[in-house]
């Protein structure tokens, strides 16, 4: 897996306010969306395009458009939903599929409880959205799920990542022979014994949508 730490002062600035426990949910949602748009710029650097002839008011030229099949954006419910708007702002013609995954708070293992994705993802470039790469269980499972349905290029986008989670994904998907990339806003110190990223930002789903 290719790991890309997106370094930019605006990314670090927005992350600082996301980390701050005094930031309320509406501000958190807005900042997360803005931050994802910056990460999306990095994440889509290799999005597939094809040439396309147009006429300017002055004469003909060749531009580019997104290739078909269009990329698929897959937010992992529930916290990944907070990243969707920021991503599709840059990729408005992408299709969107949903994967509901949740970790068991005792075993820290991921289970799938919802799936709204095309069955056949042959030749699709996929962008998986999950704000927190903690143990890596959810993301590794999502990447494998997409690859088994034919996706041939997968980019995971996270706001924050833990070194343990990155290592776990690399191990879990070592047998996949497609390009997999991680674009993240920061790689934090470690996981604590409850599986939270330290210093992190707490529970991303709760910070986005409140405790339910
Ligand atoms: N999920 C979160 O929302 N936060 C963490 O720190 C780890 C997993």
């Amino acid at each position: 897996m290719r790991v890309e730490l997106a370094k930019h002062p605006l990314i670090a600035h927005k992350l600082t306010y996301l980390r701050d426990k005094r930031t309320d949910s509406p501000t958190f949602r807005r900042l997360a969306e803005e931050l994802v748009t910056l990460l999306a710029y990095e994440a889509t650097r290799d999005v597939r395009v094809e040439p396309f002839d147009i006429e300017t008011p002055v004469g003909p030229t060749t531009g580019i458009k997104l290739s078909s099949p269009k990329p698929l954006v897959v937010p992992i419910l529930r916290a990944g939903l907070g990243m969707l708007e920021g991503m599709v702002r840059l990729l408005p013609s992408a299709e969107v599929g949903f994967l509901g995954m949740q970790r068991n708070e005792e075993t820290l293992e991921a289970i799938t409880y919802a799936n709204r994705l095309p069955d056949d993802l042959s030749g699709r470039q996929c962008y998986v959205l999950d704000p927190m790469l903690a143990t890596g269980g959810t993301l590794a499972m999502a990447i494998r799920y997409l690859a088994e349905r034919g996706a041939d290029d997968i980019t995971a986008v996270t706001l924050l990542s833990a070194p343990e989670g990155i290592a776990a994904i690399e191990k879990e998907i070592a047998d996949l022979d497609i390009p997999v990339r991680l674009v993240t806003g920061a790689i934090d110190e470690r996981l604590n014994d409850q599986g939270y990223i330290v210093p992190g930002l707490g529970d991303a789903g709760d910070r986005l949508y409140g405790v339910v």
Side-chain angles (χ1 to χ4, degrees):
M1 180 169 71
R2 207 166 91 208
V3 178
E4 288 174 28
L5 176 60
K7 282 201 170 162
H8 191 289
L10 290 180
I11 291 179
H13 167 77
K14 289 179 198 304
L15 263 177
T16 304
Y17 285 91
L18 287 175
R19 291 182 190 280
D20 190 332
K21 65 180 184 187
R22 293 169 300 183
T23 302
D24 60 19
S25 279
T27 312
F28 191 95
R29 281 200 294 273
R30 179 177 55 76
L31 284 170
E33 203 176 303
E34 290 171 5
L35 176 54
V36 173
T37 301
L38 297 174
L39 295 176
Y41 182 75
E42 279 306 313
T44 52
R45 203 170 274 287
D46 296 327
V47 69
R48 292 180 189 139
V49 292
E50 59 193 40
F52 169 48
D53 290 333
I54 56 160
E55 296 268 342
T56 77
V58 182
T61 188
T62 302
I64 55 167
K65 61 178 181 179
L66 291 186
S67 297
S68 284
K70 296 281 190 274
L72 182 72
V73 175
V74 185
I76 299 188
L77 305 178
R78 113 184 122 130
L81 274 187
M83 299 174 73
L84 182 58
E85 275 310 307
M87 187 76 192
V88 295
R89 184 172 297 147
L90 279 201
L91 277 181
S93 57
E95 286 176 18
V96 179
F98 297 91
L99 260 185
M101 290 181 161
Q102 198 173 29
R103 66 177 181 166
N104 177 317
E105 294 299 335
E106 276 158 26
T107 63
L108 301 183
E109 274 180 22
I111 52 153
T112 305
Y113 65 88
N115 163 11
R116 185 80 193 196
L117 287 174
D119 283 338
D120 182 11
L121 297 176
S122 302
R124 298 293 286 262
Q125 260 184 317
C126 294
Y127 295 89
V128 188
L129 311 179
D130 195 3
M132 310 297 276
L133 196 183
T135 57
T138 313
L139 214 40
M141 198 157 131
I143 291 168
R144 181 170 292 284
Y145 195 90
L146 298 172
E148 281 169 358
R149 275 155 189 75
D152 66 352
D153 184 286
I154 300 174
T155 300
V157 184
T158 67
L159 305 182
L160 292 183
S161 301
E164 296 92 326
I166 295 175
I169 295 187
E170 282 175 331
K171 197 166 148 211
E172 290 281 318
I173 63 163
D175 59 320
L176 296 185
D177 59 357
I178 57 165
V180 178
R181 217 156 52 104
L182 168 72
V183 175
T184 188
I187 299 177
D188 276 10
E189 283 166 40
R190 63 183 170 85
L191 287 182
N192 67 14
D193 51 12
Q194 277 103 45
Y196 279 90
I197 299 177
V198 180
L201 51 74
D203 187 301
D206 289 352
R207 305 258 345 247
L208 282 161
Y209 304 117
V211 182
V212 287

